[in-house]
Structure formats: structure tokens, C-alpha cells
Amino acid sequence: MAGVYPSGWPAAPVDGVLVNGVFHTVLGAYNSDGLRPYRHIDLRARRNIATSRGGLSFFVEMFNVLGFADVTASDGYTFNINNNSIITGQRHTESILGMVPTFGATYGF
């Protein structure tokens, strides 16, 4: 079993401004913002079988056993301008897959 709980990926905020009625995006300070922390737990079971000509190894594992929808990337922004010309932005993010089972076998000689 293995687990991780790192802080979120660093990011730069993106703001919007109106200059002479034209919308512009403004990149904030490098790595001054970030995505939320993420976490996942993985499980793996393995069985080794010795043979007269080598050995077989079988495994089954489950990535993200608890199915957390962890944010891994930012893939864009949506900006809204209200009646007072105040611009608000919303970051769009990508998440990792939910639970992912894998299995395999190897033969060594």
C-alpha cells in the first residue's frame, strides 16, 4: 500500500481587465497561486511462483482506491463582466481518473 498527500501544484493567477473597452488578460505573479492539495492511496498484491526453469510473478493493483477526484491541471479560465465593469474569473481544472485497476504477469528465467 502507498499513499500520497502533496500540496497542490503551483500556478499563476490570471486576471481580466478592460482597457479602453477592450478585454485583456493579465498574468499574476509566477507560482503565487496553486491548485488544491491532492491525495490518493494505491494497493498492490503480488504472488511469486518458483519453477524449475525460472519463476512466474503475478500482480493486481488498484490506483486511487478511495476514488478521490484530485485536481492535476488547469486547462482554462472563464471571465464574467458585471454591470459595474468588475471582472471575475473562474479557473477550469482537470482531475485524475477515479479508481484504476491493473494486473499483469512476468516470467523470469
Side-chain angles (χ1 to χ4, degrees):
M1 179 164 74
V4 297
Y5 187 84
S7 61
W9 294 99
V14 178
D15 296 317
V17 296
L18 284 177
V19 178
N20 297 328
V22 178
F23 177 79
H24 297 275
T25 56
V26 178
L27 187 61
Y30 183 72
N31 288 347
S32 64
D33 194 10
L35 303 178
R36 71 177 189 253
Y38 62 96
R39 71 269 190 231
H40 64 87
I41 296 174
D42 307 329
L43 293 175
R44 180 179 179 128
R46 184 176 69 182
R47 170 85 169 134
N48 295 323
I49 301 172
T51 66
S52 62
R53 297 183 182 212
L56 288 169
S57 177
F58 300 93
F59 74 90
V60 60
E61 76 183 4
M62 181 71 73
F63 172 77
N64 196 11
V65 172
L66 301 177
F68 293 124
D70 293 327
V71 173
T72 58
S74 176
D75 65 358
Y77 291 83
T78 299
F79 296 95
N80 297 306
I81 302 173
N82 68 13
N83 293 337
N84 297 327
S85 297
I86 296 174
I87 300 172
T88 57
Q90 180 180 1
R91 177 185 288 142
H92 298 273
T93 58
E94 295 178 6
S95 298
I96 63 171
L97 297 172
M99 292 186 292
V100 179
T102 58
F103 61 92
T106 57
Y107 175 74
F109 52 92

